Amino acid sequence: MNNNDIFKKLRVALQLRDDQIVDILQLVDFRISKPELGAFFRAEDHPNYMECGDQVLRNFLNGLIIHLRGTKENPTNAMDVINKNKTELKTAVKKAAPKEAPKKPAAKSSSKNFKPKKVESKFNPVEKVKFKNGKNKKA
C-alpha cells in the first residue's frame, strides 16, 4: 500500500472533497492546487498520475489533526466536524443532481399497425465473392 492508497482511503472515509483537502493543507501552510491533488487520486496507468510524496501525506495528516481537533486556543470535537462534512456533502449532492425531465406524453398504442419484421433467409454474402488478385492466370 503506497501513499496514494492511504490518501484515497482517508478521503473516502472522512468524505472530503478536493476543496476541503486544499483548505486542510493550507492550515499547515502547504499550498497545492486542485489539479495537482487530482493527480494523486488517478489510476496508476493514467498518463497524469503522480506519486504522492511523504511530505504531502505528512502535511495532510498534520492539517487533518488541526482540522478535526482544532487548536489549543480553540478546540473542537472531531465528530462534530465529520457530521458537518456529511451534511455539506449531502446538500452538495442534492444541488448537483439534475432535476427530472418532464415526462413525454405516452404515444398512442400502435398494436393495430404492428407488423412483425420479416425474417430473411440466412444468406452468407461472402459465398458469391470472387477474388481476383490482379494477375490473369492462364492454364
Side-chain angles (χ1 to χ4, degrees):
M1 182 178 258
N2 59 14
N3 289 345
N4 292 54
D5 295 334
I6 295 168
F7 208 176
K8 286 179 196 176
K9 290 186 184 295
L10 284 171
R11 175 183 171 207
V12 171
L14 298 171
Q15 299 177 346
L16 297 172
R17 296 187 316 263
D18 287 345
D19 57 341
Q20 291 174 323
I21 294 173
V22 169
D23 293 339
I24 289 171
L25 286 168
Q26 285 179 352
L27 290 174
V28 289
D29 297 328
F30 189 82
R31 310 260 186 285
I32 194 167
S33 65
K34 284 186 186 180
E36 287 177 310
L37 191 62
F40 297 141
F41 301 124
R42 296 185 188 279
E44 289 184 26
D45 58 345
H46 194 278
N48 293 339
Y49 171 80
M50 247 177 43
E51 280 286 329
C52 178
D54 293 338
Q55 182 182 9
V56 176
L57 188 61
R58 177 175 42 87
N59 282 311
F60 173 71
L61 292 173
N62 288 335
L64 190 62
I65 291 169
I66 295 170
H67 177 70
L68 294 177
R69 292 185 193 167
T71 59
K72 285 184 180 180
E73 297 81 28
N74 188 13
T76 59
N77 186 0
M79 288 309 296
D80 293 340
V81 175
I82 292 172
N83 290 334
K84 182 179 138 191
N85 285 344
K86 283 182 184 179
T87 56
E88 285 178 6
L89 185 65
K90 286 178 184 177
T91 56
V93 168
K94 287 180 183 177
K95 289 179 184 177
K99 295 184 179 180
E100 292 182 23
K103 294 183 179 180
K104 295 180 181 177
K108 291 183 180 179
S109 175
S110 60
S111 60
K112 295 178 183 176
N113 298 333
F114 177 74
K115 294 180 183 177
K117 218 177 195 181
K118 292 183 182 179
V119 179
E120 296 180 21
S121 63
K122 293 184 179 181
F123 171 72
N124 191 356
V126 179
E127 293 175 356
K128 291 189 175 183
V129 175
K130 294 181 181 177
F131 294 99
K132 295 182 181 179
N133 293 333
K135 295 182 179 178
N136 292 331
K137 294 185 178 179
K138 295 182 181 179

